[in-house]
């Protein structure tokens, strides 16, 4: 959970119609979750106090009242207090992601939904439009449903976490016009827009039902789809010996190619991909995909950005450990240009709800533009929560890579100078976000072209060369002066620099007691 709101209340009746009670409407990650009475929320608070004791440093939980029938003013004060309390809970990673918290929110959802049957089936769609039907209990969280799906398709247990269950609907029904141009669009490939990444605090079956109850009147119908949560081609490469993973990766790659979500470097490569697809050579097809610079991105809805200018309309995608926005550059005759914000340059990010109860959020991140110089970038998008969860996934992948390096005996500089991409590394020579023209020209921040991409230099080769250059640069700059904040934190005994990789803040400006870091304990 990243964001919890309590926008309003409603009066409900007991299942046996014996009496009515006031329920607080909980919205989690921007979507309605459950309507729960105060006493059940209090019970969760008491369990958390028993489990965490003085470590439960949250906003005050609204106290009990001597009288049960509260006036409108007192009820509203309690609602606001509950919202503050639960938002402070989810900003404590060890509390918000603890089994007690997640299981309680899961049962809140089940209790509020009042299912007529406990045994249900869920259709999980693959990217190519095929589906697997999973039998489960309505109380089963996302993790159990994903494991049952993995068992059906033969996905190894060790690779389950590299895939996720999403709620998605057809991109054609999106209110925003898509920026993706299809290569060819067979009826078999539905262009699905992911709107939510399901987590263990919710029942996939109930979450899907709740969304469809709300959107059906608008002609929007959601389904559960499985998509990869791997953000680097070399991570995918390690999964290619797993038949289940190979099937899922191939299905998504073929679908993304035909829908125009990535393009081959040239026509001969495009023809080769079509031939490998026709012959069902999964392995060679994916290896060739890994060499395409535009492969491996999750395409989100278009958004409004304040970069490079206020109110810039742009496309938005995340992949290859970067957030990318695409916009028309007026200085280049409205040429479509990509600004690439590398995840390892993002010090922290935050999400803010435009107004209470609204589905519109702002996504803001602090980016290392130049040495010791950070700037805030703001995106106005309805997918701020999803983008935040995907960035968490990127952080998990980076830190997992760190652990593997340390396990192999490689060094990790305690002053915060990493020998891999694992945090915002001040030791490197920081640069503005990479600006790339969609017509394969590379431009600097001012938009001046300095040449075209060498098509013979594959994406993986460029990544390897970049890592090699970064290692050399780290070695030569270890004596450089760091920013005051990093130097201070690095001097703290026992501080793990990898904990600085990402920080998320909801609703408020950065402050030490309201932020939480993605650390090894959280992943």
């Amino acid at each position: 959970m990243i964001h919890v709101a309590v926008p309003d209340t409603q009066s409900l009746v007991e299942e046996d119609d014996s009496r009515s009670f006031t329920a607080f409407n909980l919205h989690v990650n921007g979507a309605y979750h459950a309507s729960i009475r105060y006493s059940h929320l209090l019970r969760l608070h008491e369990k958390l106090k028993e489990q965490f004791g003085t470590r439960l440093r949250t906003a005050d939980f609204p106290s009990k009242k001597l009288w049960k029938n509260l006036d409108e003013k007192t009820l509203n004060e309690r609602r606001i207090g509950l919202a503050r309390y639960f938002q402070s809970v989810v900003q404590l990673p060890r509390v918000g992601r603890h089994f007690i918290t997640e299981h309680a929110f899961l049962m809140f959802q089940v209790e509020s939904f009042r299912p007529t049957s406990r045994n249900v089936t869920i259709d999980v769609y693959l990217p190519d439009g095929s589906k697997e039907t999973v039998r489960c209990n309505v109380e089963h969280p996302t993790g159990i449903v994903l494991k049952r799906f993995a068992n059906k398709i033969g996905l190894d247990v060790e690779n389950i976490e590299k895939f996720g269950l999403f709620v998605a609907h057809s991109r054609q029904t999106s209110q925003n016009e898509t920026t993706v141009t299809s290569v060819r669009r067979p009826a078999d490939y539905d262009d699905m827009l992911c709107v939510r990444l399901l987590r263990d605090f919710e029942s996939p079956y109930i979450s899907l039902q709740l969304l469809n109850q709300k959107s059906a009147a608008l002609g929007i119908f959601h389904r559960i789809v499985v998509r990869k949560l791997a953000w680097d081609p070399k991570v995918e490469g390690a999964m290619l010996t797993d038949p289940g993973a190979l099937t899922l990766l191939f299905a998504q790659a073929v679908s993304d190619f035909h829908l125009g979500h990535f393009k081959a470097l040239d026509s001969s490569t495009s023809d080769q991909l079509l031939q490998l697809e026709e012959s069902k050579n999964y392995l060679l097809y994916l290896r060739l995909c890994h060499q395409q610079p535009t492969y491996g991105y999750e395409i989100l809805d278009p958004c409004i950005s304040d970069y490079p200018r206020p109110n810039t309309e742009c496309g938005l995608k995340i992949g290859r450990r970067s957030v990318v926005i695409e916009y028309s550059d007026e200085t280049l005759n409205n040429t479509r240009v990509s600004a690439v914000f590398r995840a390892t340059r993002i010090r922290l990010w935050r999400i803010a709800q435009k107004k209470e109860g609204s589905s519109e959020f702002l996504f803001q991140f602090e980016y290392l533009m130049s040495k010791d110089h950070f700037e805030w970038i703001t995106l106005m998008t309805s997918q701020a929560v999803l983008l935040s969860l995907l960035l968490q996934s990127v952080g998990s992948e980076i830190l997992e890579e760190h652990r593997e390096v340390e396990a192999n005996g490689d060094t990790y500089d305690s002053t915060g100078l990493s020998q891999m991409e694992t945090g915002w590394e001040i030791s490197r020579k920081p640069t503005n976000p990479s600006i790339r023209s969609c017509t394969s020209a590379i431009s600097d921040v001012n938009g001046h072209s300095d040449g075209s991409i060498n098509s013979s230099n594959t994406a993986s080769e460029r990544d390897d060369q970049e890592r090699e250059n970064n290692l050399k640069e780290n070695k030569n700059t270890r004596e450089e002066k760091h920013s005051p904040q990093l130097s201070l934190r690095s001097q703290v005994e026992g501080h793990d620099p990898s904990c600085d990789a990402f920080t998320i803040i909801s609703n408020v400006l950065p402050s030490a007691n309201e932020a939480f870091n993605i650390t090894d304990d959280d992943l």
Side-chain angles (χ1 to χ4, degrees):
M1 287 178 285
I2 288 180
H3 185 272
V4 177
V6 189
D8 49 27
T9 63
Q10 62 175 308
S11 180
L12 297 178
V13 180
E14 298 279 6
E15 291 190 61
D16 59 3
D17 294 331
S18 59
R19 63 189 180 92
S20 63
F21 62 92
T22 298
F24 294 87
N25 295 328
L26 301 181
H27 288 232
V28 181
N29 290 353
Y32 170 76
H33 185 73
S35 299
I36 302 299
R37 64 180 70 196
Y38 170 83
S39 60
H40 291 193
L41 300 174
L42 175 61
R43 193 179 307 155
L44 170 59
H45 169 62
E46 291 172 343
K47 287 183 179 179
L48 292 177
K49 281 201 306 181
E50 181 181 353
Q51 174 68 30
F52 294 99
T54 57
R55 292 176 295 165
L56 188 66
R57 299 175 181 177
T58 63
D60 292 336
F61 189 88
S63 59
K64 288 183 178 180
K65 303 296 182 182
L66 295 178
W67 54 93
K68 291 187 177 181
N69 295 324
L70 305 181
D71 58 34
E72 184 176 348
K73 178 182 177 182
T74 306
L75 194 62
N76 190 54
E77 290 174 350
R78 174 175 282 184
R79 178 189 63 80
I80 294 173
L82 288 171
R84 289 174 178 169
Y85 171 79
F86 282 110
Q87 188 55 44
S88 65
V89 165
V90 299
Q91 289 178 3
L92 297 174
R94 293 184 180 179
V95 180
R97 300 177 193 176
H98 194 277
F99 173 78
I100 291 177
T101 307
E102 291 196 332
H103 183 69
F105 270 78
L106 172 65
M107 298 314 297
F108 288 163
Q109 189 183 47
V110 175
E111 174 189 335
S112 175
F113 186 72
R114 298 180 180 180
T116 57
S117 175
R118 295 290 170 176
N119 297 317
V120 296
T121 59
I122 299 176
D123 289 332
V124 178
Y125 286 82
L126 277 66
D128 61 3
S130 62
K131 68 179 181 180
E132 292 287 345
T133 300
V134 178
R135 296 182 180 275
C136 59
N137 190 291
V138 71
E139 297 180 5
H140 282 162
T142 302
I144 291 180
V145 175
L146 182 58
K147 287 179 181 178
R148 292 195 173 188
F149 168 79
N151 186 57
K152 291 201 69 172
I153 66 167
L155 177 65
D156 286 349
V157 174
E158 63 182 16
N159 289 325
I160 290 178
E161 64 182 13
K162 295 181 176 65
F163 295 88
L165 294 181
F166 293 79
V167 176
H169 62 69
S170 174
R171 197 178 297 269
Q172 292 176 310
T173 61
S174 172
Q175 294 180 353
N176 295 316
E177 182 180 355
T178 178
T179 59
V180 177
T181 303
S182 299
V183 176
R184 61 186 177 95
R185 196 164 186 164
D188 293 340
Y189 298 113
D190 294 329
D191 193 359
M192 303 301 294
L193 174 69
C194 294
V195 296
R196 288 190 64 188
L197 174 59
L198 297 172
R199 312 304 283 177
D200 274 344
F201 64 82
E202 59 191 321
S203 160
Y205 175 83
I206 296 178
S207 291
L208 181 64
Q209 296 297 319
L210 291 174
L211 277 174
N212 280 332
Q213 286 175 6
K214 182 179 179 181
S215 66
L218 302 175
I220 300 176
F221 298 94
H222 298 83
R223 64 172 67 164
I224 293 178
V225 300
V226 60
R227 293 185 69 83
K228 65 181 180 180
L229 291 174
W231 307 105
D232 192 297
K234 67 177 180 294
V235 174
E236 285 191 25
M239 294 191 286
L240 297 184
T241 56
D242 176 0
L246 187 64
T247 298
L248 292 177
L249 292 172
F250 178 77
Q252 183 167 336
V254 169
S255 174
D256 285 354
F257 178 61
H258 288 307
L259 293 171
H261 293 333
F262 79 92
K263 296 180 180 179
L265 282 170
D266 49 47
S267 58
S268 62
T269 303
S270 180
D271 292 340
Q272 190 175 357
L273 285 171
L274 293 175
Q275 292 172 5
L276 291 172
E277 176 193 347
E278 188 71 23
S279 62
K280 297 189 182 301
N281 194 326
Y282 292 13
L283 191 60
L284 291 183
Y285 185 93
L286 287 168
R287 286 178 175 170
L288 185 57
C289 286
H290 294 166
Q291 297 174 11
Q292 312 310 307
T294 56
Y295 170 80
Y297 289 88
E298 188 65 43
I299 310 297
L300 303 180
D301 243 0
C303 66
I304 303 296
S305 171
D306 65 353
Y307 182 92
R309 299 172 301 277
N311 298 318
T312 298
E313 296 182 2
C314 55
L316 175 63
K317 62 183 181 180
I318 179 172
R320 290 184 178 264
R321 300 181 179 178
S322 300
V323 175
V324 180
I325 61 173
E326 298 177 349
Y327 58 92
S328 297
D329 193 330
E330 297 176 354
T331 64
L332 294 175
N333 296 322
N334 289 324
T335 300
R336 200 69 177 168
V337 171
S338 295
V340 182
F341 298 93
R342 293 171 53 196
T344 50
R345 301 287 187 205
I346 298 175
R347 178 161 66 175
L348 55 87
W349 71 83
R350 65 188 179 210
I351 60 174
Q353 202 168 16
K354 291 190 66 176
K355 62 180 180 179
E356 190 176 37
S358 170
S359 61
E360 295 184 357
F361 286 81
L362 297 178
F363 181 88
Q364 299 174 303
F365 59 94
E366 192 178 23
Y367 193 76
L368 183 62
M369 290 291 190
S370 59
K371 184 173 177 60
D372 299 338
H373 174 62
F374 291 88
E375 288 187 14
W376 282 96
I377 308 296
T378 300
L379 305 178
M380 186 183 301
T381 170
S382 61
Q383 294 180 291
V385 172
L386 175 60
L387 181 57
S388 185
L389 290 171
L390 296 181
L391 265 178
Q392 276 190 350
S393 176
V394 173
S396 299
E397 182 176 280
I398 292 173
L399 293 177
E400 178 64 27
E401 188 174 282
H402 239 299
R403 286 192 290 267
E404 292 177 359
V405 169
E406 292 177 335
N408 291 332
D410 293 335
T411 59
Y412 184 81
D413 191 346
S414 61
T415 63
L417 304 181
S418 166
Q419 291 191 354
M420 294 182 55
E421 294 183 351
T422 55
W424 44 282
E425 296 145 284
I426 299 293
S427 62
R428 296 187 189 171
K429 183 179 179 181
T431 60
N432 283 294
S434 303
I435 308 296
R436 298 176 182 173
S437 166
C438 293
T439 58
S440 297
I442 299 179
S443 306
D444 61 17
V445 178
N446 296 320
H448 303 301
S449 175
D450 65 358
S452 59
I453 296 175
N454 183 355
S455 61
S456 64
N457 186 17
T458 65
S460 59
E461 290 171 341
R462 286 194 297 274
D463 289 343
D464 291 340
Q465 183 63 44
E466 182 182 11
R467 291 190 186 93
E468 182 179 348
N469 292 338
N470 287 333
L471 289 176
K472 292 178 181 178
E473 192 171 338
N474 278 340
K475 182 177 180 181
N476 295 332
T477 58
R478 290 194 178 195
E479 299 303 322
E480 289 185 7
K481 182 180 179 181
H482 305 157
S483 70
Q485 181 178 3
L486 182 59
S487 298
L488 178 62
R489 297 192 68 178
S490 300
Q491 293 169 8
V492 178
E493 183 177 359
H495 172 65
D496 180 2
S498 66
C499 297
D500 293 323
F502 300 101
T503 303
I504 302 174
I505 300 168
S506 297
N507 287 333
V508 291
L509 291 174
S511 59
N513 64 338
E514 292 174 323
F516 67 86
N517 296 323
I518 296 181
T519 68
D520 285 7
D521 292 335
D522 305 327
L523 304 177

